[in-house]
Amino acid sequence: MKRLAALSAMLILGSPTFALAAEHSAGYRGIGMLYFTFMAAILIYGVYDSFGKKAMYVAAPIIVVGLYLLLPES
C-alpha cells in the first residue's frame, strides 16, 4: 500500500494538469481533473469497501480511465 501511495503521489506531483500549469487558455480541464480525481478516490474506496482489495485492483484502472475520457477537450 505504501508503494501505491508513493506512486500516486509521484503522478499527482509530476502531472502538469494536476498542478494547473496548463496553457493560458486552458478552460476547465485543470479544475475538472481535480474534481474527477476526488470522484475517482471516492469511487475506488467504495469498490474497496464493498468488494475487497482484489476487486479494487481490477476496478481502479477502469474508473480512472473512464473519468479521464470524460474530461473536456479544451
Side-chain angles (χ1 to χ4, degrees):
M1 200 59 157
K2 290 182 183 180
R3 289 182 188 170
L4 181 62
L7 177 65
S8 63
M10 291 297 289
L11 289 175
I12 289 171
L13 294 175
S15 174
T17 306
F18 284 125
L20 299 174
E23 59 205 36
H24 181 359
S25 62
Y28 293 103
R29 188 167 176 87
I31 198 74
M33 182 67 96
L34 289 173
Y35 177 71
F36 283 143
T37 301
F38 290 125
M39 263 182 20
I42 292 169
L43 288 172
I44 291 169
Y45 178 74
V47 169
Y48 172 74
D49 192 37
S50 298
F51 302 108
K53 189 184 287 188
K54 288 183 182 179
M56 180 192 69
Y57 288 140
V58 172
I62 296 169
I63 292 170
V64 170
V65 169
L67 288 176
Y68 180 77
L69 292 174
L70 288 174
L71 280 174
E73 290 291 328
S74 62

